[in-house]
Amino acid sequence: MDAIKEFFGVGGYKREPEGFLSWQHILFVTVFIAVMVALAVILGRRNRNKDEKTKNKVIAWAAIILLFLKVLEMVVCCLKDHSFRALLYLLPLFLCSMQMIALPLAAFSKGRLREAALDFVFIFGILGAVMGTYGAGQNFSCYPILSFDNVLSVITHTLSGFASLYIAISGLTSMRVKNIWITFTILCVFCVLAYIADILIPYNYMFLMRGDGTPYDIFYNLVKGNRVLYPMCVVLLFLLYLSIFYLVYFLVRKHKAKQA
């Protein structure tokens, strides 16, 4: 019973965190990343030449598991805090947790909305997997490696990364030019919502208030924590990444078309 309480952090963790970028942190997340890549390659290649319905089943299961894990996180956090206030800090307003909405839309919606959702998961899933595991200083500096907070976080981030790679390998990507504005709009709307939530709660969704030990600290320190310039830098980084991703993708696709 004591071991279970310690794993879930009931009453706070008694173990000292191994530390951000410690060998334990790197080894732990590398194992999950390796499993993520292997599963995406195996299932993606197996389903590449199959029909859309078959390909979509994998995305649907990934979405269901991701939602189940989110509900589990909410239940555990509320039980630990003995309050529903914990839910205010679990809103899907981080770049990584936006997959809680995008992945189900990619799996269960239709038309251009589904295409845009697939593109969003494809573009940001792998980024979230890397940043939310290797770059998660806010978690690995505070919690032991084998703890509910870190294990759940790594699983959900690598699950999003798996979906991203699977979409690419199985051929589910659409990446249509006419849908680019939808992807940009989704990102901008979530940034605005995250900023509003950060002010009202207050919290640090999208890391718009501070870096919290993540690589965003580089920009936070660069602008000396300016409450206007720093969030602008973060949002511009998101938009820059999105723009570069689209640019590189279309250049590669154009190059392949010329070779065909």
Side-chain angles (χ1 to χ4, degrees), residues 156-198:
T156 54
H157 282 89
T158 52
L159 188 58
S160 297
F162 158 79
S164 174
L165 288 176
Y166 173 80
I167 287 170
I169 296 169
S170 66
L172 275 173
T173 53
S174 63
M175 296 294 281
R176 299 179 189 276
V177 175
K178 66 179 182 180
N179 292 333
I180 291 179
W181 71 271
I182 301 177
T183 310
F184 272 93
T185 301
I186 291 172
L187 178 61
C188 291
V189 167
F190 271 91
C191 286
V192 172
L193 292 175
Y195 190 72
I196 293 172
D198 287 339

Side-chain angles (χ1 to χ4, degrees), residues 55-180:
K55 292 180 181 180
N56 197 63
K57 285 181 180 178
V58 175
I59 297 297
W61 274 109
I64 291 169
I65 294 171
L66 196 61
L67 291 174
F68 169 78
L69 292 175
K70 186 63 177 179
V71 172
L72 176 63
E73 180 185 27
M74 293 166 69
V75 171
V76 170
C77 288
C78 287
L79 290 175
K80 284 168 60 176
D81 292 354
H82 304 289
S83 169
F84 288 108
R85 181 171 175 77
L87 298 178
L88 292 174
Y89 307 104
L90 297 174
L91 300 174
L93 293 176
F94 282 109
L95 186 62
C96 308
S97 56
M98 287 167 63
Q99 303 294 347
M100 303 286 177
I101 296 173
L103 192 52
L105 284 175
F108 303 112
S109 64
K110 295 181 180 181
R112 290 183 66 183
L113 179 60
R114 178 174 183 270
E115 290 179 352
L118 282 168
D119 291 350
F120 193 92
V121 175
F122 170 51
I123 294 168
F124 288 106
I126 193 64
L127 175 68
V130 174
M131 293 296 292
T133 54
Y134 290 108
Q138 78 283 8
N139 279 352
F140 288 97
S141 296
C142 301
Y143 311 127
I145 300 294
L146 295 179
S147 63
F148 177 76
D149 294 273
N150 277 333
V151 170
L152 186 73
S153 176
V154 170
I155 292 175
T156 54
H157 282 89
T158 52
L159 188 58
S160 297
F162 158 79
S164 174
L165 288 176
Y166 173 80
I167 287 170
I169 296 169
S170 66
L172 275 173
T173 53
S174 63
M175 296 294 281
R176 299 179 189 276
V177 175
K178 66 179 182 180
N179 292 333
I180 291 179

